[in-house]
Amino acid sequence: MLSANELLAHAETLTDGVQLVDRILRAGLFLHASDIHFDPMQDAVRVRFRIDGQLEEVLRVPVSMANAMTSRLKVLASLDIAERRAPQDGGFVWRLPGGGTFAQNPLDVRMATLPVRHGERITLRLLETGGRRLTLEDLGMRQADLAVFEKVLRHPQGLVLLTGPTGSGKTTTLYAAIQRLLQFGAFNILTVEDPVEYEIPGVAQAEVDSADKVNFSKALKSLLRHDPDVVMIGEIRDMNSLDAAVKAALTGHLVLSTLHTNDAKSVETRLVDMGLDPHLVPATLHLAVAQRLVRRLCPACKVRGVDGWEPKGCRECGGRGYAGRIGLFELYSPKMGVETFLADDAREKVADGVTSFAEVRRVTGVDG
């Protein structure tokens, strides 16, 4: 089987759109890219992969192949080939031909187009289906934080909020939490998401739609009529969804969701700013978890440096010096009197050689 580098070598010389798209998707799958960007420029289409959170240019496709490549992707995603002046959204499932390990886990591809000056910009989100899901232990929580998190999950009611910027792994943590709840016992777990990223056997997952027939607050009110023990809301976006989540948490349900704040303790302030009565915050909020994602140092080539361990680059990591990512976490629980800090977790992971000081500083701004 060809490697990713071999697949992309001379791919710009291909004159068949189907073969070209196949090569790019294969390489993205092999390199575990989360996104593929097609950026049309004046003289070429730049193809970039997002690997471990970082964008890397992997190929430049000649302008002469732009239409064939775009048309192939639109056909796969059941989009209108003739429509080039309006944004479109779609998706498709792509399976690696020929069998093998990778073929067992097809890609669920979400596609979006956007008309720009030199053509249509295309972004693909790659979601592997059927693969092993991350557990809470895989995420990188310290043992003490993990013990608190699991204790809260065993509580029958309350609000658990994951916070952090876009792309910090909040949804992954929610899914890992649900997997742990399924291990605890027979719970009726319902979710409402935008979109459903991964199917979880044994969990009823609802998806919001663009027509607003099903939004977070409407769906949550409907879910509560189905006798849930646990409800997961993809995101608390406004006062309507917050009000529905709080009422559910106060009436005997464990509610998991996400919110945008810079740190865990700021969740209290954010809830009040959104319109929640201040006296309901301590009565409702059971746990706030803030997180970031940093790249893991490649274990095969990391070296000792001035500030701890540093990346070097080898064949195992493709010369990047990093392989995969891990979470940094901080917890705040007004009910349990718990408060931990992201900076402390970062320092521990640097000292243990899990990541580098430069990587922590890039992601968090922690300076020593």
Side-chain angles (χ1 to χ4, degrees):
M1 183 178 291
L2 296 175
S3 68
N5 289 337
E6 290 170 332
L7 282 169
L8 294 173
H10 309 298
E12 71 278 1
T13 64
L14 292 174
T15 58
D16 183 280
V18 173
Q19 292 182 8
L20 179 58
V21 168
D22 179 76
R23 288 277 190 96
I24 293 171
L25 288 174
R26 283 174 180 247
L29 178 62
F30 290 173
L31 292 171
H32 301 287
S34 61
D35 303 85
I36 301 178
H37 295 246
F38 298 83
D39 303 316
M41 300 182 293
Q42 186 172 3
D43 57 348
V45 177
R46 179 177 59 177
V47 181
R48 294 185 292 175
F49 290 173
R50 187 175 295 280
I51 302 171
D52 293 337
Q54 300 293 293
L55 274 177
E56 299 180 15
E57 182 175 332
V58 297
L59 182 67
R60 291 212 174 190
V61 177
V63 171
S64 60
M65 283 298 297
N67 287 339
M69 183 173 63
T70 299
S71 295
R72 173 56 179 168
L73 287 167
K74 285 184 174 181
V75 167
L76 288 171
S78 300
L79 301 182
D80 186 350
I81 297 177
E83 179 57 76
R84 299 182 180 179
R85 296 185 179 182
Q88 297 187 70
D89 295 286
F92 57 95
V93 174
W94 185 84
R95 185 185 295 274
L96 179 66
T101 302
F102 283 102
Q104 302 305 314
N105 300 325
L107 284 176
D108 183 1
V109 183
R110 311 290 170 86
M111 176 172 162
T113 72
L114 179 69
V116 293
R117 183 177 181 185
H118 295 295
E120 287 183 275
R121 190 188 196 285
I122 296 175
T123 302
L124 305 181
R125 168 62 60 87
L126 310 183
L127 302 170
E128 289 188 46
T129 63
R132 188 180 76 89
R133 299 287 177 255
L134 291 178
T135 66
L136 288 175
E137 288 80 7
D138 295 329
L139 300 178
M141 280 190 186
R142 292 171 288 185
Q143 284 300 316
D145 289 350
L146 181 59
V148 171
F149 196 70
E150 286 196 325
K151 185 175 181 179
V152 170
L153 290 179
R154 291 181 180 276
H155 201 272
Q157 66 184 54
L159 192 59
V160 178
L161 294 176
L162 278 293
T163 183
T166 301
S168 60
K170 299 186 296 296
T171 301
T172 299
T173 302
L174 286 177
Y175 280 137
I178 289 175
Q179 296 282 7
R180 182 55 49 85
L181 283 164
L182 290 171
Q183 294 173 2
F184 286 164
F187 288 108
N188 183 22
I189 304 175
L190 307 177
T191 78
V192 54
E193 307 170 55
D194 181 21
V196 173
E197 293 196 11
Y198 297 107
E199 291 186 19
I200 307 175
V203 175
Q205 296 171 267
E207 189 167 273
V208 301
D209 63 20
S210 56
D212 205 35
K213 291 181 180 179
V214 180
N215 59 32
F216 283 120
S217 57
K218 288 179 182 178
L220 181 54
K221 290 177 182 177
S222 178
L223 293 185
L224 294 179
R225 301 188 185 103
H226 292 268
D227 186 32
D229 300 299
V230 181
V231 175
M232 190 267 271
I233 313 169
E235 181 183 356
I236 292 180
R237 296 180 172 178
D238 50 35
M239 187 55 201
N240 288 333
S241 55
L242 174 59
D243 182 63
V246 168
K247 287 180 178 177
L250 289 172
T251 54
H253 305 87
L254 181 63
V255 181
L256 311 177
S257 191
T258 69
L259 194 68
H260 285 283
T261 64
N262 288 328
D263 54 66
K265 193 169 185 178
S266 295
V267 166
E268 288 184 318
T269 304
R270 176 65 177 146
L271 292 175
V272 173
D273 288 344
M274 292 180 70
L276 184 63
D277 192 319
H279 83 272
L280 287 178
V281 174
T284 308
L285 180 63
H286 205 125
L287 180 67
V289 180
Q291 66 180 87
R292 302 291 189 275
L293 287 177
V294 293
R295 291 178 292 171
R296 287 178 180 267
L297 284 165
C298 173
C301 66
K302 63 182 180 180
V303 295
R304 284 280 190 179
V306 176
D307 295 318
W309 294 90
E310 296 179 355
K312 180 181 179 183
C314 66
R315 185 175 181 179
E316 293 291 324
C317 60
R320 297 176 182 86
Y322 296 93
R325 290 190 288 177
I326 192 169
L328 302 178
F329 296 90
E330 69 175 28
L331 276 58
Y332 173 68
S333 174
K335 288 181 177 292
M336 301 171 67
V338 171
E339 185 172 11
T340 64
F341 299 95
L342 202 74
D344 294 333
D345 193 15
R347 293 188 187 99
E348 285 186 23
K349 287 186 169 70
V350 170
D352 292 341
V354 176
T355 189
S356 68
F357 174 71
E359 176 69 3
V360 167
R361 183 168 52 191
R362 180 186 69 82
V363 172
T364 70
V366 172
D367 194 16

